[in-house]
């Protein structure tokens, strides 16, 4: 357990993570690279990679928590918790992942590679998500199905081609294909991935403009 969190275990704390995002909850667990908060309003468990934690402190208990007892069972149980172990155990569970912007992504983790994982979303379909940019993850109970869909309407289509071990190599395999970066929140993040070299990418937009991007800042990528 992260030594600085030992004294706060079981207490109500406030955490600030990258991007000015704040979360409050009961500190349930902490590992070498991750902490776990229980949110009393939704009774959700937030798994927050420590690399994105900017500050934390014990907070005053909100009124909603005065009679709240965290559930005895966590959705992910492990003797020693870590970010990779959380991802591994969460495979097949319906989860919510937050990486950037004002929206989170709902779906299933299907494959875990060295520094990224493959995510199947009923809305966005297959996505490749960089582990370095995951701000938090919420796993749901095993019986939860997204959007109340029937399982027949939620096919987990496997990737037909072999996956590269690294995010960089996977992006290289997408050269000469149309891609959507970070959910397409800007027109310059949708286009033809022409080239990936030296940790940079060259993207041709719909208007024919060439845009270069640093791969260190690419959070998610998907095919339209």
């Amino acid at each position: 357990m992260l030594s600085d969190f030992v004294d706060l275990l079981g207490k109500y704390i406030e955490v600030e993570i990258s991007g000015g995002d704040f979360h409050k909850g009961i500190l349930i667990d902490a590992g070498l690279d991750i902490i776990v908060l229980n949110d009393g309003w939704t009774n959700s468990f937030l798994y927050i990679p420590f690399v994105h934690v900017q500050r934390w402190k014990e907070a005053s208990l909100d009124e909603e928590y005065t009679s709240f007892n965290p559930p005895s069972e966590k959705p992910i149980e492990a003797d020693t918790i870590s970010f990779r172990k959380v991802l591994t155990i969460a495979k097949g569970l319906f989860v919510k992942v937050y990486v950037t912007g004002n929206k989170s992504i709902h779906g299933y983790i299907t494959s875990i590679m060295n520094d990224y994982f493959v995510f199947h979303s009923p809305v966005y379909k297959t996505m490749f998500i960089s582990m370095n940019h995951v701000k938090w993850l919420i796993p749901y109970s095993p019986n939860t199905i997204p959007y109340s869909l029937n399982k027949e309407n939620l096919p987990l289509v496997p990737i037909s081609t072999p996956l590269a071990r690294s995010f960089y190599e996977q992006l290289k395999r997408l050269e000469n294909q149309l891609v959507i970066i970070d959910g397409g929140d800007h027109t310059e993040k949708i286009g033809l991935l022409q080239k990936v070299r030296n940790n940079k990418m060259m993207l041709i937009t719909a208007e024919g403009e060439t845009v270069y991007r640093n791969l260190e800042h690419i959070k998610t990528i998907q095919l339209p």
Side-chain angles (χ1 to χ4, degrees):
M1 179 180 292
L2 290 168
S3 59
D4 293 330
F5 282 95
V6 171
D7 294 338
L8 295 175
L9 192 64
K11 295 183 178 179
Y12 186 67
I13 68 171
E14 177 186 89
V15 176
E16 180 184 358
I17 64 175
S18 303
D21 195 11
F22 292 85
H23 291 280
K24 290 183 179 181
I26 303 294
L27 180 65
I28 301 297
D29 202 353
L32 292 177
D33 61 355
I34 198 166
I35 65 172
V36 186
L37 293 185
N38 183 260
D39 180 348
W41 290 275
T42 62
N43 207 21
S44 300
F45 288 87
L46 280 84
Y47 291 76
I48 306 173
F50 186 68
V51 67
H52 294 296
V53 175
Q54 296 198 6
R55 69 170 185 86
W56 61 97
K57 65 177 182 179
E58 187 172 356
S60 300
L61 201 63
D62 293 324
E63 292 182 1
E64 291 84 349
Y65 270 95
T66 54
S67 60
F68 172 72
N69 292 313
S72 57
E73 293 186 7
K74 300 187 288 288
I76 295 178
E77 295 282 359
D79 293 335
T80 304
I81 197 167
S82 69
F83 182 35
R84 179 168 289 273
K85 186 175 290 187
V86 166
L87 292 176
T88 301
I89 298 175
K91 280 181 64 176
L93 293 178
F94 177 46
V95 300
K96 177 162 65 171
V97 176
Y98 176 76
V99 289
T100 187
N102 58 1
K103 60 185 176 183
S104 49
I105 311 165
H106 296 79
Y108 295 88
I109 298 169
T110 59
S111 299
I112 302 170
M113 311 310 288
N114 285 355
D115 60 353
Y116 77 100
F117 57 90
V118 185
F119 193 78
H120 180 81
S121 161
V123 176
Y124 301 102
K125 306 308 176 186
T126 299
M127 308 180 73
F128 304 102
I129 300 179
S130 168
M131 291 184 191
N132 297 329
H133 292 288
V134 174
K135 304 298 192 303
W136 50 258
L137 177 148
I138 297 177
Y140 294 96
S141 64
N143 297 324
T144 304
I145 299 177
Y147 309 104
S148 298
L149 292 171
N150 296 324
K151 290 188 177 180
E152 294 76 15
N153 298 325
L154 190 64
L156 295 180
V157 181
I159 300 295
S160 57
T161 58
L163 294 168
R165 297 190 65 82
S166 72
F167 193 54
Y168 176 81
E169 291 299 327
Q170 185 61 36
L171 295 187
K172 282 184 65 66
R173 293 187 181 188
L174 300 179
E175 287 181 342
N176 300 313
Q177 298 188 60
L178 289 172
V179 298
I180 301 171
I181 299 170
D182 299 344
D185 57 358
H186 192 283
T187 56
E188 291 187 352
K189 292 186 176 182
I190 303 173
L192 178 70
L193 178 54
Q194 190 172 58
K195 188 179 295 185
V196 175
R197 296 289 186 277
N198 301 320
N199 217 31
K200 306 174 187 66
M201 71 158 55
M202 181 190 300
L203 193 77
I204 309 299
T205 68
E207 292 79 15
E209 184 180 13
T210 301
V211 178
Y212 299 88
R213 290 195 174 275
N214 183 346
L215 297 188
E216 294 293 335
H217 297 283
I218 302 297
K219 302 167 184 66
T220 71
I221 194 162
Q222 67 199 92
L223 302 178

